[in-house]
Amino acid sequence: MLDDSGSQDHRGTPEAPGRVVTLIERTFWEAISDDHATAADKVWGVAYRIEASKVQEVQAYLDIREINGYSIQYTPFHPADSSQPTLSCLAYVGLPSNPQFVGVQNPQKLAEHIYRCRGPSGENKEYLYMLELALAELSSESGDEHVKDLAYRVRRIEASQGDGTGGSKGGEKTDGVVAHKELERLNSTDEQEEME
């Protein structure tokens, strides 16, 4: 399941941590209350096959980037194409004991916080809009109501503040989702910090 964690080093600062999503175990998810009671039974995402010669390099990089408050777990990954076999994938799963783990928040207050935060990797709202777009593009079933609701709320705040572009520079709004033209696929551990 997805929940919110603070981002002090990518989409926020130690004084004003941005918000990013993190995978958490279903048992923890079921023990908390959320304003979005329609949480899906599955989490959508992308699995990457890493070339054998790059596995150690990629894992070392991810361990540094993601290890703060996460446990490394292998989890089943079910491709959207049900004719494909289930894969075992390494995932970084959030721990509620992580000091940056903030859990459930009031959606409007969370949207206001996301609107205000910015870090070395850019605006927190840009991360939210790109997450919304990425989820929408995975499958016709893959959108996340919590993410859509937050993006809608942040866009309303933008409009009320007079900067209602619906996204950030380089993006165009289509059906409430911001399409970013400047993103490109990168190899190995080259990265764009857009999706933390």
Side-chain angles (χ1 to χ4, degrees):
M1 301 281 78
L2 297 173
D3 208 343
D4 297 316
S5 288
S7 173
Q8 298 180 6
D9 54 353
H10 289 286
R11 295 295 174 163
T13 63
E15 299 77 30
R19 296 294 183 261
V20 295
V21 296
T22 189
L23 292 171
I24 61 172
E25 291 186 20
R26 177 168 281 288
T27 53
F28 178 70
W29 177 260
E30 291 171 345
I32 60 176
S33 62
D34 184 7
D35 289 334
H36 298 90
T38 60
D41 289 335
K42 57 186 162 187
V43 174
W44 287 85
V46 176
Y48 293 92
R49 182 178 307 276
I50 309 300
E51 292 178 32
S53 64
K54 299 284 187 182
V55 167
Q56 288 182 335
E57 175 189 1
V58 171
Q59 188 161 359
Y61 167 77
L62 289 173
D63 285 350
I64 291 168
R65 180 186 165 112
E66 303 294 341
I67 205 65
N68 183 17
Y70 293 89
S71 77
I72 297 173
Q73 299 181 20
Y74 283 87
T75 186
F77 179 87
H78 305 277
D81 177 354
S82 60
S83 69
Q84 298 293 315
T86 299
L87 307 169
S88 179
C89 291
L90 180 145
Y92 292 82
V93 177
L95 301 172
S97 59
N98 178 357
Q100 293 185 45
F101 185 83
V102 295
V104 177
Q105 295 181 289
N106 172 280
Q108 186 59 35
K109 289 184 179 172
L110 178 56
E112 292 166 5
H113 185 85
I114 289 169
Y115 174 76
R116 290 188 306 269
C117 287
R118 177 179 186 78
S121 296
E123 296 176 273
N124 202 183
K125 66 183 179 179
E126 180 183 39
Y127 167 88
L128 175 64
Y129 296 148
M130 291 189 329
L131 176 63
E132 179 189 31
L133 176 63
L135 288 171
E137 289 180 340
L138 288 175
S139 164
S140 60
E141 304 171 36
S142 63
D144 182 281
E145 291 305 315
H146 178 64
V147 172
K148 285 181 192 175
D149 177 57
L150 283 174
Y152 171 77
R153 291 171 187 266
V154 173
R155 285 186 184 99
R156 281 187 28 208
I157 295 168
E158 282 184 312
S160 73
Q161 298 296 316
D163 64 347
T165 60
S168 61
K169 102 181 145 172
E172 61 185 47
K173 192 172 175 185
T174 57
D175 296 329
V177 176
V178 176
H180 289 267
K181 299 176 187 174
E182 72 275 5
L183 298 181
E184 61 183 84
R185 295 203 183 270
L186 301 171
N187 298 316
S188 185
T189 56
D190 295 341
E191 72 171 315
Q192 288 184 203
E193 291 295 336
E194 274 72 36
M195 291 304 292
E196 186 179 302

